[in-house]
Amino acid sequence: RVRLYKWEVKYEFKSPDCYKKLVITINGRTPGPSIVAQQGDTIVVELKNSLLTENVAIHWHGIRQIGTPWMDGTEGVTQCPILPGETFVYRFVVDRPGTYLYHAHYGMQREAGLYGSIRVGLPDGETEPFSYDYDRSIILNDWYHNSTYEQAAGLSSIPFVWVGEPQSILIHGRGRFNCNTPGIEAGLCNATSPECVPYALTVVPGKTYRLRIGSLTALSALSFEIEGHNMTVVETDGHYVEPFVVKNLFIYSGETYSVLIKADQDPSRNYWASAKVVSRNSTTPNGLAIFNYYPNHPRRNPPTPPPVGPRWDDVGPRLSQSLAIKAHHGYIHPPPQTSDRVIVMLNTQNRVNGNVRWSVNNVSFNLPHTPYLIAYKHNLLHAFEQTPPPDGYDYANYDIFSVAKNVNATTSNGVYRLRFNTTVDIILQNANTMNPNNSETHPWHLHGHDFWVVGHGTGKFDKFNDPKKYNLVDPIMKNTVAVHPYGWTALRFRADNPGVWAFHCHIESHFYMGMGVVFEEGVERVGKLPTSIMGCGDSKGYHRP
Ligand SMILES: O=C1O[C@H]([C@@H](O)CO)C(O)=C1O
């Protein structure tokens, strides 16, 4: 079955947290319309770019694009940007059930509000390994009042201007900035705007809800909880989880989770849903929504103060949650027991030519102007650096616990070429930033694949001993996973999807500052590319329809 969506993307003034600013909408909305489909459906999105002076591209986050690598929507990797006035048609199959996302993948445009959710249901007659009465989706996001351009300009200037902490946390597109904050220009902030009425999740007493939660924060790691209610985690990134119960769910940008919540508390009142920033000593107030027991009024505030949430600097519970996630025992896809190649990726913050950048093995990534996929298929190999980045770092001499200058760091857009149909291990190694006693959380997202999360650990990854502790029995598969402060995360995947795929930190500013790599595998097996993805860089001569 084909599901056709016609979207118009444009700028509009909106006040999602009561503060009026320019946001990017789809058909007048942010978050944009949800894509709701069944496994095996073909999604067709006719996207009209009405931004007047700005390009766009949309990535279907978690959809592997098997056989359609040119539809991944990653500007500079799989396609040229869509120009103002153009209509681009995305066409791809949603081949697995689960909870996914979509969002802009061009510059830092995602943070202007261009995002939404994708829900893929099972074919008729098939059932999930858990039951519930109602299915709901929410997206968590953080929100800045300045524009993505101000942010990007600051990040690439000398001296460096950091984006800072977001002004608000949005729960399904709604937050609440304090309009009495000193320095706010009169008329810009309206506490009674209907656009910033807190999101209400209305529940019928006694019923069980499957709540699909996605995070598309620019920066923040979040802890989400519903006052007085436990949540049972049952799915993540499209894979069933061996159920486990949490009071609060840690969720990183680019991840999705399904949790089951039973509306089994005192039904005469409402409860708070709260999203708190963790991992950074943030000034951002918690995002709040209302868990509304029918028939109480959805705007009636709960009688109790909102939950305070976990301490921001306590890594322990976050690591524990990462370790608790296992594949559902009825749905285990065991990973290959050995790998063909191991790439250790040291994540560092360092200076390159005076700019503050992020690097992997001392290489800070920048996107080429000719998308890799087109460059490979049309022999435009001069369009990017042909030397691949290194498979490791100076293990013996690098102290991950201290500030390092990384004087040899460079920028490059070279590609990791993976032998087709091989098994690849990636070890993400975290380290100290340029600030003493500081290491951050980075959620890494892989395009075109799911990977098995075979291990998490603290400190420096030990090549000889840590692999012996890998979970090769029931590891979860995901498309996004966190590397915790001063820790490491080990992934395994099959390089079996012909194409060119980005792998990057999902923090918007960090990818912009170079925290990413690109993989190529089996590109010779990719068929003829549609001309609609071409027209930029050295693919200028190719005709667009
Ligand atoms: O990339 C970053 O830069 C700042 C800080 O390290 C320098 O101001 C920060 O917190 C980041 O995550």
Side-chain angles (χ1 to χ4, degrees):
R1 192 161 33 171
V2 174
R3 296 195 190 248
L4 174 66
Y5 295 83
K6 291 186 189 224
W7 287 359
E8 185 179 17
V9 173
K10 63 177 184 212
Y11 270 110
E12 291 182 63
F13 282 104
K14 294 261 182 206
S15 312
D17 68 345
C18 307
Y19 181 91
K20 188 159 78 178
K21 64 166 279 192
L22 272 177
V23 307
I24 302 181
T25 59
I26 300 174
N27 298 348
R29 292 157 57 182
T30 173
S34 299
I35 291 180
V36 181
Q38 254 182 324
Q39 183 176 3
D41 287 353
T42 297
I43 306 297
V44 179
V45 178
E46 289 181 12
L47 186 98
K48 179 167 191 329
N49 179 4
S50 293
L51 293 174
L52 299 181
T53 61
E54 197 175 316
N55 302 333
V56 71
I58 295 192
H59 169 56
W60 316 96
H61 181 114
I63 310 299
R64 294 171 299 169
Q65 302 292 356
I66 293 168
T68 51
W70 49 78
M71 287 295 165
D72 191 47
T74 311
E75 187 276 330
V77 180
T78 64
Q79 75 168 98
C80 291
I82 307 164
L83 302 180
E86 277 188 357
T87 297
F88 183 93
V89 182
Y90 285 104
R91 190 186 183 92
F92 55 88
V93 173
V94 287
D95 62 335
R96 284 189 307 111
T99 310
Y100 309 101
L101 301 160
Y102 67 81
H103 59 79
H105 214 298
Y106 182 49
M108 292 173 61
Q109 203 174 48
R110 184 179 96 212
E111 295 324 314
L114 188 38
Y115 62 86
S117 63
I118 304 175
R119 180 204 293 186
V120 184
L122 288 170
D124 291 338
E126 282 187 35
T127 52
E128 322 250 22
F130 44 84
S131 56
Y132 49 91
D133 300 300
Y134 298 100
D135 197 339
R136 300 276 183 269
S137 301
I138 58 167
I139 299 186
L140 309 178
N141 198 18
D142 50 11
W143 196 246
Y144 288 90
H145 290 171
N146 61 1
S147 72
T148 56
Y149 295 101
E150 285 173 87
Q151 296 194 5
L155 295 173
S156 46
S157 64
I158 301 174
F160 176 72
V161 182
W162 172 235
V163 298
E165 296 301 314
Q167 276 65 54
S168 304
I169 300 298
L170 306 185
I171 299 184
H172 215 57
R174 283 146 187 262
R176 195 144 261 270
F177 181 71
N178 178 3
C179 290
N180 297 323
T181 306
I184 298 296
E185 203 183 308
L188 271 189
C189 198
N190 174 6
T192 60
S193 163
E195 289 173 17
C196 60
V197 169
Y199 177 76
L201 183 75
T202 301
V203 296
V204 175
K207 298 292 183 190
T208 298
Y209 288 78
R210 174 182 190 171
L211 183 61
R212 300 171 187 252
I213 311 168
S215 171
L216 282 173
T217 51
L219 175 70
S220 315
L222 296 175
S223 165
F224 177 81
E225 68 185 287
I226 296 174
E227 185 189 8
H229 295 73
N230 283 333
M231 303 183 276
T232 306
V233 181
V234 292
E235 182 228 320
T236 185
D237 296 1
H239 293 275
Y240 297 129
V241 170
E242 185 63 21
F244 67 100
V245 178
V246 295
K247 180 171 155 297
N248 63 296
L249 177 78
F250 295 107
I251 180 166
Y252 307 96
S253 183
E255 287 190 309
T256 68
Y257 288 93
S258 286
V259 297
L260 301 182
I261 306 164
K262 188 157 197 222
D264 59 1
Q265 297 300 302
D266 174 4
S268 70
R269 52 163 290 190
N270 291 337
Y271 298 81
W272 294 107
S274 165
K276 176 197 166 120
V277 178
V278 291
S279 184
R280 304 183 68 92
N281 191 3
S282 181
T283 49
T284 313
N286 294 359
L288 294 174
I290 292 178
F291 195 69
N292 164 231
Y293 272 70
Y294 183 82
N296 298 310
H297 197 284
R299 295 209 200 160
R300 194 164 106 202
N301 276 354
T304 39
V308 286
R311 275 180 45 177
W312 72 269
D313 56 349
D314 193 353
V315 186
R318 287 184 261 135
L319 180 62
S320 303
Q321 180 185 303
S322 296
L323 291 169
I325 301 176
K326 304 273 160 55
H328 188 288
H329 282 168
Y331 295 80
I332 296 175
H333 308 280
Q337 297 296 298
T338 56
S339 73
D340 301 302
R341 180 170 173 188
V342 179
I343 307 176
V344 182
M345 296 189 172
L346 175 70
N347 293 200
T348 57
Q349 188 194 39
N350 45 264
R351 271 179 212 283
V352 180
N353 301 327
N355 287 298
V356 177
R357 301 280 302 180
W358 289 89
S359 302
V360 169
N361 297 339
N362 273 347
V363 177
S364 186
F365 179 73
N366 51 31
L367 280 163
H369 291 291
T370 308
Y372 293 101
L373 191 57
I374 305 173
Y376 275 116
K377 295 308 286 181
H378 291 265
N379 257 307
L380 306 168
L381 295 182
H382 55 273
F384 62 92
E385 178 63 56
Q386 291 301 300
T387 312
D391 274 16
Y393 69 104
D394 184 6
Y395 177 85
N397 297 310
Y398 194 95
D399 177 7
I400 64 149
F401 293 103
S402 62
V403 177
K405 287 219 166 65
N406 301 74
V407 287
N408 296 322
T410 55
T411 58
S412 172
N413 54 26
V415 172
Y416 287 98
R417 302 197 73 165
L418 308 177
R419 208 147 52 74
F420 187 65
N421 258 331
T422 57
T423 302
V424 180
D425 281 1
I426 305 289
I427 289 92
L428 295 164
Q429 175 67 63
N430 212 337
N432 205 102
T433 64
M434 297 197 318
N435 305 316
N437 303 314
N438 178 246
S439 180
E440 302 184 353
T441 305
H442 302 284
W444 278 80
H445 172 60
L446 178 58
H447 292 224
H449 308 74
D450 293 326
F451 46 72
W452 290 274
V453 183
V454 295
H456 286 277
T458 47
K460 208 170 181 177
F461 173 78
D462 173 342
K463 257 192 219 178
F464 300 101
N465 293 308
D466 285 327
K468 294 177 192 151
K469 296 176 231 154
Y470 283 170
N471 175 5
L472 301 177
V473 177
D474 58 359
I476 190 68
M477 293 191 87
K478 290 182 106 286
N479 61 60
T480 307
V481 72
V483 54
H484 295 289
Y486 298 113
W488 56 265
T489 297
L491 325 175
R492 179 166 291 180
F493 69 95
R494 296 274 307 149
D496 58 2
N497 190 9
V500 188
W501 308 105
F503 178 50
H504 61 93
C505 176
H506 213 261
I507 291 176
E508 193 81 312
S509 50
H510 287 182
F511 182 47
Y512 183 78
M513 292 163 74
M515 199 168 200
V517 300
V518 166
F519 296 126
E520 174 277 321
E521 73 216 33
V523 76
E524 65 287 349
R525 293 164 188 259
V526 173
K528 194 170 176 312
L529 301 178
T531 51
S532 61
I533 65 167
M534 301 181 194
C536 59
D538 291 334
S539 70
K540 273 200 193 81
Y542 295 90
H543 266 299
R544 305 178 83 147

